[in-house]
Amino acid sequence: MAIASISAAALFATACGGGSDDSDGGSGGEGGTITASGCNPENPLVAGNTAETCGGDVLDVLTAKLVHYNPETAEPENDIAESIETDDNQNFTVKLKKGYKFHNGDDVLAKNFVDAWNYTAYGVNGQQGSYFFEPIEGFEDLQCTGEDEDKPCEGKGKPKAEELTGLKVVDDLTFTIKTSEKVSNLPLRLGYTAFAPQPDAFFDDPEAFGDKPIAAGPYKLDSWEKNQAITLSKFEDYSGEYGGNADEIIFQNYEDSDAAYVALQSGDLDVVREIPASALVDNKFKDDLGEGQFLEKENSTLQFIGMNHHVDKKLENVKVRQAISMAIDRKTIVKQIFNDAYTPATGWVSPVVDGYKEGACGEYCEFNPEKAKQLLKEGGGYDGKLTLTYNGDASHKGWTEAVCNSINKTLGIDCVATPTVDFATMLTKLGENELKGMFRMGWVMDYPSIENYLAPIYGKGASSNYYNYANDDFQKTMREAGAAETPEEANKLYQEAEGLIAEEFTTIPTWYGKTIIGWSENVTDVQATPFGNPDLAAMKVKN
């Protein structure tokens, strides 16, 4: 999932800085209100059309899926699913638990999954999560094929079918999934937001539904004041095992992460998912917040810089892109801006997932001014201003300016860090191919797999492929990896696919992230989920 801020998930790591269970001796229980830092969702809150953290954080506590990821290990655990069974990794039978209800009182049935997945996969509906259904049989027939980029679904470009042949409702609590080829990790993926069920009410008016979604999770949406706040309340009829403690959760928007941090210190905010860069220097945040009110964990975040050379022809030569990467002094930036909280990246996959290969980026992720100058010359140089666009509603100003300074100093290119109002605005511009130059991006895993760092970002037509990357060899290798008989065989093929990304170099890895969250004296039982945000459902308000 594309992330609005640098902070992200924790996996297989131990927290530092003390937990909140013993802070100030207070105990927490059910009830009360928790206020959390939020940001503007890019789109209405539709599970199949949300591919970034601003909306994803809200949907995390609104939705229930077939699978829930363990907050400590990220291992998948059955949630709505009673069982997910297969004998061949191609034909899957899903049985649901009885008694799950949507927020409007309707039962969660097999058809609610099948109908929602068909809607998301159908190309005419333009859902960002469509690509996640690519492995299911019949997906290609649901895609628009018109040559007009603006109207690919018109005329002869209209899809051949409206429903996936690989989905069948057996009875109220059973459905089957058939994939085009073997997909060994399909059950692992089914806890991602795009796979959430939708009630019948969704299909009456999908656009209006997104302003006040109905889901099946522990909290329901009460109000959404656009650009200001989203308020959720506990769903009293929630029957799952992952219920919440607070009566109310409010996602409060702030101008940027520094403003949210000030609100935290003043007691106007209970928890922030990101400590701003200004408070990382010399570990200032530890003195600001005090023992027991912050948490640090290694995480699954990959921060990187994107380039769409199909839009910006000045970046068309791969040697120019490689030169820019080699002109970035990652170690110095991480030290000076982030107080060494992060780790310089050596590839396109986070070290926390199985299959990570150190050094996939090779020499091109190493600071080498002389080689950078040589590559720039061989690539034909770069004339004019080079912009590095970042979203202004998070803590990106300092490091993007430092990156531009490094490029300018090394290559003599006039690099300028330029903000957009918020992450939603930046993603919209990217989706419409309006941004030239470079743009900051980040990724936090949707599910714990090396595949998740590759397919959604670089797959042809994928929801987060803002680079127009389209490589037939990459697609073929990814399919082979998904059908592999063993994890070892799959990881080897996924690493080969990562190597193809390295050859084209349409994105520049910068560093791997770290979860650093802070909270007020008003709350307790604070932990980070495997996906970077505080576990809001588990938090408690102090008595």
Side-chain angles (χ1 to χ4, degrees):
M1 180 169 286
I3 54 173
S5 60
I6 297 173
S7 301
L11 262 187
F12 315 116
T14 302
C16 303
S20 62
D21 290 343
D22 58 358
S23 59
D24 288 341
S27 62
E30 293 194 359
T33 297
I34 292 171
T35 55
S37 59
C39 50
N40 293 323
E42 178 189 8
N43 298 307
L45 293 170
V46 174
N49 200 35
T50 299
E52 41 72 43
T53 54
C54 298
D57 284 353
V58 180
L59 288 172
D60 278 346
V61 287
L62 283 179
T63 60
K65 283 82 67 178
L66 292 172
V67 166
H68 174 269
Y69 298 111
N70 184 285
E72 293 297 325
T73 67
E75 289 297 309
E77 303 169 339
N78 284 346
D79 188 358
I80 299 178
E82 181 70 44
S83 63
I84 303 172
E85 298 179 347
T86 181
D87 293 326
D88 57 6
N89 287 332
Q90 189 167 9
N91 294 278
F92 301 82
T93 298
V94 179
K95 294 185 179 295
L96 308 182
K97 294 174 182 173
K98 187 176 182 180
Y100 257 91
K101 292 187 179 295
F102 287 107
H103 298 154
N104 64 353
D106 290 352
D107 290 329
V108 178
L109 305 175
K111 70 183 181 69
N112 298 116
F113 284 95
V114 171
D115 290 348
W117 294 9
N118 278 325
Y119 180 90
T120 304
Y122 187 47
V124 175
N125 294 328
Q127 300 293 284
Q128 292 195 33
S130 175
Y131 184 81
F132 287 93
F133 298 90
E134 188 269 342
I136 299 177
E137 183 184 77
F139 178 82
E140 289 299 323
D141 287 342
L142 268 65
Q143 307 314 300
C144 302
T145 59
E147 296 181 1
D148 188 334
E149 291 186 5
D150 295 327
K151 300 178 180 179
C153 298
E154 292 194 357
K156 295 182 179 180
K158 187 177 180 179
K160 297 178 182 178
E162 296 184 8
E163 296 182 349
L164 295 160
T165 56
L167 295 179
K168 302 290 183 185
V169 174
V170 177
D171 57 42
D172 280 352
L173 298 176
T174 309
F175 70 98
T176 59
I177 308 169
K178 182 178 182 180
T179 55
S180 300
E181 301 178 54
K182 292 184 177 181
V183 183
S184 58
N185 74 342
L186 182 67
L188 179 69
R189 307 180 190 187
L190 299 180
Y192 178 50
T193 305
F195 294 100
Q198 294 287 16
D200 293 343
F202 167 77
F203 303 96
D204 294 336
D205 191 345
E207 291 188 15
F209 180 93
D211 288 332
K212 194 171 182 180
I214 299 167
Y219 286 86
K220 60 184 179 67
L221 190 143
D222 286 345
S223 66
W224 182 357
E225 300 172 70
K226 297 297 175 68
N227 302 318
Q228 295 183 49
I230 296 175
T231 301
L232 315 180
S233 64
K234 186 187 292 187
F235 177 41
E236 297 299 335
D237 290 330
Y238 174 72
S239 62
E241 300 177 10
Y242 309 104
N245 290 307
D247 286 337
E248 189 176 60
I249 297 173
I250 300 175
F251 290 90
Q252 185 69 52
N253 288 7
Y254 289 87
E255 182 180 349
D256 53 35
S257 57
D258 284 285
Y261 186 66
V262 170
L264 174 68
Q265 291 178 277
S266 66
D268 293 329
L269 192 64
D270 290 321
V271 61
V272 294
R273 64 168 294 152
E274 176 190 19
I275 299 295
S278 60
L280 295 179
V281 178
D282 297 326
N283 287 321
K284 180 177 178 294
F285 71 95
K286 294 183 179 181
D287 293 329
D288 290 342
L289 300 178
E291 185 71 17
Q293 287 179 233
F294 63 87
L295 176 149
E296 299 178 87
K297 286 185 179 181
E298 298 302 321
N299 65 57
S300 70
T301 305
L302 169 67
Q303 188 77 20
F304 60 98
I305 293 171
M307 298 167 289
N308 190 336
H309 61 83
H310 304 283
V311 173
D312 191 340
K313 297 301 182 181
K314 290 191 290 186
L315 293 168
E316 192 168 20
N317 193 300
V318 67
K319 291 186 177 181
V320 173
R321 303 196 293 272
Q322 292 168 339
I324 291 171
S325 178
M326 296 189 81
I328 300 173
D329 189 350
R330 293 166 177 78
K331 289 184 179 179
T332 298
I333 293 172
V334 164
K335 180 177 180 61
Q336 293 182 348
I337 303 297
F338 303 119
N339 199 43
D340 283 328
Y342 308 126
T343 305
T346 66
W348 288 265
V349 173
S350 168
V352 305
V353 295
D354 187 37
Y356 162 74
K357 181 180 180 180
E358 185 177 4
C361 185
E363 64 176 329
Y364 301 114
C365 281
E366 298 174 3
F367 181 54
N368 189 330
E370 293 306 315
K371 183 65 178 291
K373 292 174 184 175
Q374 177 188 336
L375 284 171
L376 184 64
K377 183 177 180 181
E378 293 175 0
Y382 189 95
D383 294 325
K385 182 182 294 185
L386 173 64
T387 57
L388 171 51
T389 301
Y390 66 94
N391 52 297
D393 58 346
S395 184
H396 299 304
K397 184 175 186 291
W399 75 259
T400 52
E401 290 180 346
V403 165
C404 272
N405 289 338
S406 188
I407 294 170
N408 195 342
K409 183 177 179 181
T410 303
L411 298 176
I413 295 175
D414 182 16
C415 181
V416 179
T418 306
T420 60
V421 173
D422 54 27
F423 196 45
T425 300
M426 191 178 85
L427 292 180
T428 298
K429 288 179 177 292
L430 285 172
E432 296 174 353
N433 290 328
E434 292 182 5
L435 288 184
K436 292 187 176 182
M438 306 183 296
F439 40 93
R440 63 84 18 196
M441 292 298 292
W443 189 259
V444 58
M445 65 182 185
D446 302 307
Y447 40 86
S449 169
I450 180 176
E451 177 265 343
N452 187 239
Y453 286 84
L454 304 174
I457 307 176
Y458 303 100
K460 185 176 180 180
S463 58
S464 294
N465 185 349
Y466 296 107
Y467 328 100
N468 285 342
Y469 182 85
N471 184 319
D472 290 340
D473 289 337
F474 175 84
Q475 296 290 118
K476 178 176 179 292
T477 305
M478 291 293 291
R479 287 195 297 270
E480 292 173 351
E485 295 293 335
T486 66
E488 293 77 16
E489 180 185 354
N491 287 340
K492 183 179 179 181
L493 289 165
Y494 284 131
Q495 289 169 358
E496 290 181 13
E498 185 183 10
L500 294 172
I501 295 170
E503 290 179 8
E504 185 159 336
F505 221 88
T506 193
T507 58
I508 298 174
T510 52
W511 39 79
Y512 307 119
K514 187 177 186 180
T515 297
I516 308 178
I517 61 175
W519 56 90
S520 74
E521 297 179 351
N522 301 326
V523 293
T524 185
D525 290 68
V526 184
Q527 288 295 327
T529 72
F531 306 95
N533 46 325
D535 190 346
L536 296 175
M539 285 175 59
K540 298 177 181 178
V541 178
K542 283 188 178 179
N543 297 329

